[in-house]
């Protein structure tokens, strides 16, 4: 077998598992625009987790006893969201990706950054996929950033998402303040870290406001 044939053979062997991981567990996303500054800059490349690789490990995290006030808040949010999602009757996903109730689903936390297909994608086809921060969970009341007198009830199986960069006039981001909550079926995954450029390599922590923007009622 020649060197070229060996190279093509090895590539053919590696391609299916790489495509499987990209389609179901991890992929890359390039940030477009400035709506998420200063957390994300135009041109940043993100590592996006599409589903829980070890869903039962995550399930133990949400059902075990919390050791801090913050963990207890996250645990209570997770349990409420899962209960409301289960009652919504929405299709969750394939059994082997860890997104069904046979295997616990991916739980979105307040302040996490997600990639999703925009509800107005047909209107703006050049920016079909967006990156925003989760501000409200399904079932919560959320105070929209464009008008602090505006309260929105986030539907079950949905997320209220907004950009970090509101600008001087509050119009630097096209998000839930314009098109409402995003259905979880449109969510591609959770951005976990910046992988490019090397100078900005690092984990993306959950960022929440010092003043609560969403709550249960």
């Amino acid at each position: 077998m020649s060197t070229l044939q060996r190279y093509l053979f090895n590539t053919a062997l590696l391609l299916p598992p790489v495509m499987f991981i990209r389609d179901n567990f991890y992929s890359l996303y390039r940030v477009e625009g400035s709506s998420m500054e200063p957390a994300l800059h135009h041109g940043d490349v993100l590592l996006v987790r599409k589903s829980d690789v070890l869903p039962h490990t995550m399930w133990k995290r949400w059902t075990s006893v919390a050791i801090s006030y913050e963990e207890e808040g996250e645990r209570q949010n997770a349990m409420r969201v899962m209960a409301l999602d289960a009652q919504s009757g929405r299709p969750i996903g394939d059994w082997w990706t860890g997104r069904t109730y046979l295997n616990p689903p991916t739980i979105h936390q307040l302040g996490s950054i997600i990639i999703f297909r925009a509800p107005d994608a047909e209107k703006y086809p050049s920016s079909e996929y967006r990156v925003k921060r989760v501000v409200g969970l399904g079932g919560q009341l959320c105070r929209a950033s464009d008008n602090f007198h505006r309260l929105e009830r986030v539907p079950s199986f949905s997320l209220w998402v907004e950009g970090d960069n509101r600008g001087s006039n509050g119009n630097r981001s096209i998000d839930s303040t314009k098109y409402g909550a995003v259905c979880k079926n449109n969510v591609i995954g959770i951005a976990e870290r910046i992988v490019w450029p090397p100078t900005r390599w690092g984990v993306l922590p959950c960022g929440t406001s010092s003043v609560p923007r969403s709550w249960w009622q």
Side-chain angles (χ1 to χ4, degrees):
M1 183 181 291
S2 67
T3 302
L4 178 59
Q5 289 176 324
R6 187 179 298 109
Y7 172 78
L8 293 175
F9 179 75
N10 291 335
T11 301
L13 288 179
L14 288 174
L15 192 58
V18 169
M19 294 295 290
F20 177 81
I21 292 173
R22 188 203 68 175
D23 291 342
N24 297 288
F25 293 109
Y26 284 94
S27 64
L28 300 177
Y29 174 85
R30 184 177 184 273
V31 177
E32 300 286 345
S34 60
S35 67
M36 283 299 294
E37 290 181 352
L40 302 176
H41 296 169
H42 176 77
D44 285 350
V45 177
L46 311 178
L47 179 66
V48 179
R49 175 168 57 87
K50 293 185 171 183
S51 61
D52 292 332
V53 180
L54 299 173
H56 291 287
T57 301
M58 297 299 294
W59 175 253
K60 289 180 181 179
R61 174 186 176 186
W62 303 127
T63 55
S64 60
V65 177
I67 60 175
S68 68
Y69 177 80
E70 290 77 12
E71 284 191 8
E72 178 60 20
E74 291 179 358
R75 189 185 72 83
Q76 291 185 6
N77 284 345
M79 299 306 291
R80 288 195 181 201
V81 167
M82 282 191 284
L84 290 171
D85 286 356
Q87 295 171 10
S88 68
R90 298 272 189 167
I92 308 298
D94 298 317
W95 67 271
W96 42 267
T97 62
R99 285 177 286 188
T100 68
Y101 290 92
L102 298 176
N103 292 309
T106 297
I107 298 298
H108 298 279
Q109 299 180 57
L110 289 174
S112 62
I113 297 175
I114 65 170
I115 314 299
F116 60 95
R117 187 178 187 276
D120 60 352
E122 294 182 0
K123 185 177 180 181
Y124 302 100
S126 61
S127 56
E128 178 179 5
Y129 297 99
R130 310 265 174 85
V131 53
K132 305 295 177 188
R133 193 178 298 278
V134 176
V135 178
L137 304 173
Q140 287 187 320
L141 273 177
C142 183
R143 192 181 300 278
S145 62
D146 62 337
N147 184 347
F148 269 56
H149 296 289
R150 174 185 173 188
L151 293 179
E152 296 282 349
R153 173 77 67 180
V154 184
S156 299
F157 203 68
S158 299
L159 301 168
W160 189 270
V161 296
E162 295 184 5
D164 289 355
N165 187 3
R166 306 311 303 177
S168 58
N169 58 4
N171 292 324
R172 297 296 297 274
S173 175
I174 301 176
D175 48 36
S176 288
T177 60
K178 304 296 190 299
Y179 45 66
V182 174
C183 177
K184 287 185 182 179
N185 281 340
N186 288 340
V187 176
I188 305 301
I190 302 170
E192 291 196 330
R193 63 176 62 241
I194 301 174
V195 298
W196 189 265
T199 54
R200 289 181 49 75
W201 176 282
V203 176
L204 290 171
C206 291
T208 55
S209 172
S210 56
V211 179
R213 295 273 310 283
S214 57
W215 57 91
W216 298 101
Q217 190 178 62

